[in-house]
Amino acid sequence: MACKTLLAAGIAAKFQDEVREGVRLAVEQSGGVVPTLVGFLANHDPAAATYAEWTGKACAEVGIKFDLRKVERTQLEDELMAANVDPSVHGIMIYYPVFGSSQDQYLQNIVSPAKDVEGLCHTYRYNMYHNVRFLDPPTNAKKCIIPCTPLAIVKVLEHLHIYNPMLPYGGRLYGKTIAIVNRSEVVGRPLAALLANDGARVLSVDIGDVLEFHRGSGLQHRQHQVMETTLTADEALRQADVVITGVPSPNYKVNTSLLKDGVVAINFSSARNFNGDEVKKRAAMYVPSIGKVTVAMLQRNLLRLYAYQRADVEGAKAKQA
Amino acid sequence: MACKTLLAAGIAAKFQDEVREGVRLAVEQSGGVVPTLVGFLANHDPAAATYAEWTGKACAEVGIKFDLRKVERTQLEDELMAANVDPSVHGIMIYYPVFGSSQDQYLQNIVSPAKDVEGLCHTYRYNMYHNVRFLDPPTNAKKCIIPCTPLAIVKVLEHLHIYNPMLPYGGRLYGKTIAIVNRSEVVGRPLAALLANDGARVLSVDIGDVLEFHRGSGLQHRQHQVMETTLTADEALRQADVVITGVPSPNYKVNTSLLKDGVVAINFSSARNFNGDEVKKRAAMYVPSIGKVTVAMLQRNLLRLYAYQRADVEGAKAKQA
């Protein structure tokens, strides 16, 4: 069987179209308030600068105003706090690393949930892990923001029909075993939780151990559970229907011979974690990178936060009138 | 001049006496509600087990009930949430590392501010960095919890009369240069902020750079500011009136020949970062470790949180009556 290779640009296209149309309507309905994303660049990392430039281009393509602010790392917290309360700013993102230490996680929590397009503040992380989908129960008008890269991978999996629409919402990955080679707090662990919340059995592979995330037997559990396993990384790869990799090293390559025939292979690392020629002989579908889908999700999150902020503005006006 | 060596036990004694008396009064006034600290041990690290045992003994000595709960790391978050809402638990602490990754910082934020004796959740960290000293302005009945180890070092500096009581509160370190060799989020950076908030010029030494924390010229600034420097670690040590070390490695030793005559040397690492014989020839005062003061601060924080919880219980009763 031939492997189908899917590029991020193709998957992202429909989301970009949706965002473009969303921006057009937003500007029209607000009488000209252009959705505005502020990106903070507080390092001298060329990769971050490239990503920032790329965000800017992608925003220009869909009509979002992107304002890149280069600041000193020692000034970043003050700048974030100013942007948090500036009504002309609808979304905020930070190009990491800033300090390259756990101080960066402190900075994630300085961004207001009202403007956190990356979904990395504790409120969104907590809600995601606990499968809390709305910020304002019981009204449920404001959906929680989901971190961009994990969300992009969910959208890729939907595009590939790994999510089965015949199954009930919240259980559409039931029956699937998905290995994720990465357990970072920014992508690997939230992704494991999201996929487990949607019914998958997730094998989370990190240096040293494999954890299993699942919903328990059946679909009755409200949120995922995590358990220790004695599996090796190789055993996890052997069992997986879908393998998702995010190892930020050019030296790491998945051993293709371990994979099931007909596996689905997705890489979100900037390094290529699969040997393309090899994996195409084994996989049913292969997605070598997802960056453009991630940026589309960033924009989607921005539009959502913009809508909530506009609703608050209009609500306040209506109250006054 | 002979160096005065001060041991943590001696410095901790008066705080232990205060806590013991505070516990006695608390039990008496509440009709027998014993302040209760729950420690969660979710690793197999012998150092953590020893620290837990030590906490237990120190609590027994002052009349605090210490309840050590050994749990699986995959169950810790659920256990923390249960303890957060259990009225018989007044304080919660976690023996780190749990996952040994940035997931541990997520766990810090799961502990309710009402019970966070370690002061490591975002609310307390944010308030400390921003020099916000009360949880409930403008009432100002509830003081913020300050992380135990930084607080212990402040108390050590007060004990050594480095804080000058002739100066106004909030500026009692004005004129002092203090080098801190450690910039962790748990000790080094919060300590730098606290000391700068109190008027010191702090040189924060990390691998690769030295940052300066200060209050700006005079005492007019509400909170500390941070600026880059081109100082080397050696230059920072040369300028320091007080050197505080926290490098968790037996191989790191401060080069004593760099230090000022009459320097004050304080080590909070479990490793000995000063060569004792050498530093005693140079320093005016030397504190080789501070562990017992840290545990006393943990207990002090517990008593404070106990008092706030009791006040809430009594307030609710009064409202009902």
Side-chain angles (χ1 to χ4, degrees):
Chain A
M1 295 279 289
C3 173
K4 185 160 184 174
T5 301
L6 293 108
L7 301 182
I11 304 172
K14 68 175 173 209
F15 298 112
Q16 287 169 323
D17 291 344
E18 280 173 23
V19 168
R20 193 181 294 107
E21 177 61 11
V23 171
R24 195 189 64 71
L25 278 171
V27 173
E28 189 179 292
Q29 288 167 2
S30 66
V33 181
V34 179
T36 299
L37 173 63
V38 171
F40 284 100
L41 185 63
N43 63 30
H44 302 281
D45 181 345
T50 303
Y51 181 30
E53 205 180 304
W54 195 35
T55 323
K57 276 185 192 161
C59 286
E61 281 170 17
V62 295
I64 289 170
K65 182 177 164 196
F66 179 67
D67 178 2
L68 182 65
R69 300 185 182 173
K70 294 179 188 178
V71 304
E72 295 299 318
R73 61 180 186 167
T74 52
Q75 299 308 311
L76 180 56
E77 185 171 353
D78 284 351
E79 295 282 344
L80 287 170
M81 290 180 67
N84 277 342
V85 295
D86 177 350
S88 73
V89 175
H90 304 109
I92 296 171
M93 67 178 295
I94 302 170
Y95 293 95
Y96 292 100
V98 176
F99 288 90
S101 64
S102 52
Q103 192 172 339
D104 287 1
Q105 213 169 331
Y106 172 82
L107 289 170
Q108 288 170 356
N109 285 322
I110 295 298
V111 179
S112 164
K115 302 196 175 175
D116 181 12
V117 292
E118 295 184 284
L120 294 177
C121 70
H122 186 73
T123 302
Y124 289 132
R125 288 154 46 110
Y126 177 89
N127 286 352
M128 186 203 55
Y129 285 121
H130 291 257
N131 207 8
V132 173
R133 304 210 169 188
F134 292 92
L135 268 176
D136 57 343
T139 310
N140 291 355
K142 294 183 177 176
K143 265 187 145 177
C144 290
I145 294 298
I146 292 176
C148 297
T149 306
L151 180 59
I153 295 167
V154 166
K155 295 297 174 185
V156 168
L157 290 171
E158 284 178 350
H159 186 89
L160 304 187
H161 292 257
I162 308 300
Y163 275 78
N164 185 337
M166 292 297 286
L167 292 173
Y169 179 75
R172 292 179 172 173
L173 292 175
Y174 190 43
K176 300 283 195 304
T177 295
I178 303 180
I180 303 173
V181 190
N182 172 299
R183 201 187 296 145
S184 71
E185 281 297 289
V186 176
V187 189
R189 190 167 81 97
L191 178 62
L194 284 173
L195 302 186
N197 284 341
D198 285 335
R201 170 176 176 248
V202 178
L203 300 174
S204 169
V205 179
D206 199 8
I207 300 166
D209 58 41
V210 175
L211 291 177
E212 180 175 329
F213 290 59
H214 62 93
R215 284 270 300 256
S217 53
L219 296 173
Q220 68 273 46
H221 285 279
R222 204 181 58 80
Q223 70 182 68
H224 72 281
Q225 302 183 306
V226 184
M227 57 184 222
E228 308 279 349
T229 75
T230 55
L231 293 175
T232 64
D234 283 2
E235 286 164 346
L237 292 174
R238 274 199 193 96
Q239 294 185 15
D241 304 306
V242 179
V243 174
I244 303 172
T245 58
V247 181
S249 159
N251 300 319
Y252 175 80
K253 297 283 178 199
V254 169
N255 178 351
T256 310
S257 71
L258 297 170
L259 304 179
K260 277 189 187 176
D261 283 329
V263 76
V264 172
I266 301 169
N267 172 58
F268 68 83
S269 169
S270 56
R272 294 286 166 107
N273 290 162
F274 294 98
N275 176 319
D277 292 338
E278 290 294 319
V279 80
K280 285 177 196 170
K281 289 179 198 157
R282 183 66 61 117
M285 292 186 275
Y286 170 47
V287 181
S289 75
I290 64 150
K292 290 195 174 169
V293 186
T294 300
V295 174
M297 292 305 115
L298 196 73
Q299 298 175 331
R300 204 164 176 265
N301 285 346
L302 174 73
L303 263 190
R304 185 161 283 172
L305 293 175
Y306 171 97
Y308 301 158
Q309 290 166 46
R310 292 300 310 164
D312 288 345
V313 168
E314 295 302 325
K317 270 191 199 161
K319 247 189 185 163
Q320 273 195 321
Chain B
M1 293 282 287
C3 172
K4 186 160 183 174
T5 301
L6 293 108
L7 301 182
I11 303 172
K14 69 176 172 206
F15 298 113
Q16 287 170 323
D17 290 344
E18 280 172 22
V19 169
R20 193 180 294 110
E21 177 60 10
V23 171
R24 195 190 64 72
L25 278 172
V27 173
E28 187 179 294
Q29 287 166 3
S30 66
V33 182
V34 179
T36 299
L37 174 62
V38 171
F40 284 102
L41 185 63
N43 63 29
H44 302 280
D45 181 344
T50 303
Y51 182 29
E53 204 180 306
W54 195 35
T55 323
K57 275 185 193 161
C59 286
E61 280 169 17
V62 295
I64 290 170
K65 182 178 165 195
F66 180 66
D67 178 1
L68 182 65
R69 300 185 182 173
K70 294 180 188 178
V71 303
E72 295 299 318
R73 60 180 187 167
T74 51
Q75 298 309 311
L76 179 57
E77 184 171 353
D78 286 350
E79 295 283 343
L80 287 169
M81 292 181 66
N84 276 343
V85 295
D86 177 350
S88 72
V89 176
H90 304 109
I92 297 171
M93 68 178 295
I94 302 171
Y95 294 95
Y96 292 101
V98 176
F99 288 90
S101 66
S102 53
Q103 191 173 339
D104 287 1
Q105 214 168 330
Y106 172 82
L107 288 170
Q108 289 169 357
N109 285 322
I110 295 299
V111 179
S112 164
K115 303 198 175 175
D116 181 11
V117 291
E118 296 184 282
L120 295 176
C121 70
H122 186 73
T123 302
Y124 289 131
R125 287 153 49 110
Y126 177 90
N127 287 352
M128 186 204 53
Y129 285 121
H130 292 256
N131 206 9
V132 173
R133 304 209 170 189
F134 292 92
L135 268 177
D136 57 343
T139 310
N140 291 356
K142 295 182 178 178
K143 266 187 144 177
C144 289
I145 293 298
I146 292 177
C148 298
T149 305
L151 179 59
I153 294 167
V154 166
K155 294 298 172 185
V156 168
L157 290 171
E158 284 178 349
H159 186 89
L160 304 186
H161 291 256
I162 308 301
Y163 274 79
N164 185 338
M166 293 296 287
L167 293 172
Y169 179 76
R172 292 180 171 172
L173 293 175
Y174 190 43
K176 300 282 193 306
T177 295
I178 303 180
I180 303 173
V181 190
N182 172 300
R183 201 187 295 145
S184 71
E185 281 297 290
V186 177
V187 188
R189 190 167 81 96
L191 178 63
L194 283 172
L195 302 186
N197 284 340
D198 285 334
R201 171 176 176 249
V202 178
L203 300 174
S204 168
V205 179
D206 198 8
I207 300 167
D209 58 40
V210 175
L211 291 177
E212 181 177 328
F213 289 60
H214 61 94
R215 284 270 300 256
S217 52
L219 296 175
Q220 68 273 46
H221 285 279
R222 204 181 58 78
Q223 71 182 69
H224 71 281
Q225 301 184 308
V226 184
M227 58 184 223
E228 307 278 349
T229 76
T230 56
L231 293 175
T232 64
D234 283 1
E235 286 165 345
L237 291 175
R238 274 199 194 92
Q239 295 186 14
D241 305 305
V242 179
V243 175
I244 302 172
T245 58
V247 181
S249 158
N251 300 318
Y252 175 81
K253 296 284 176 196
V254 169
N255 178 349
T256 309
S257 70
L258 297 169
L259 303 180
K260 277 188 186 177
D261 283 328
V263 74
V264 172
I266 299 169
N267 172 58
F268 68 82
S269 169
S270 55
R272 293 285 166 108
N273 291 161
F274 294 98
N275 176 318
D277 292 338
E278 290 293 321
V279 81
K280 284 177 196 172
K281 289 179 198 157
R282 184 64 63 116
M285 291 184 275
Y286 171 46
V287 181
S289 76
I290 64 148
K292 290 194 176 172
V293 186
T294 301
V295 173
M297 292 306 116
L298 197 73
Q299 297 175 333
R300 206 166 173 264
N301 285 347
L302 175 72
L303 263 190
R304 186 161 281 172
L305 293 176
Y306 171 96
Y308 302 158
Q309 289 166 46
R310 291 300 309 166
D312 288 347
V313 168
E314 294 302 324
K317 270 191 201 163
K319 246 189 185 162
Q320 273 198 322

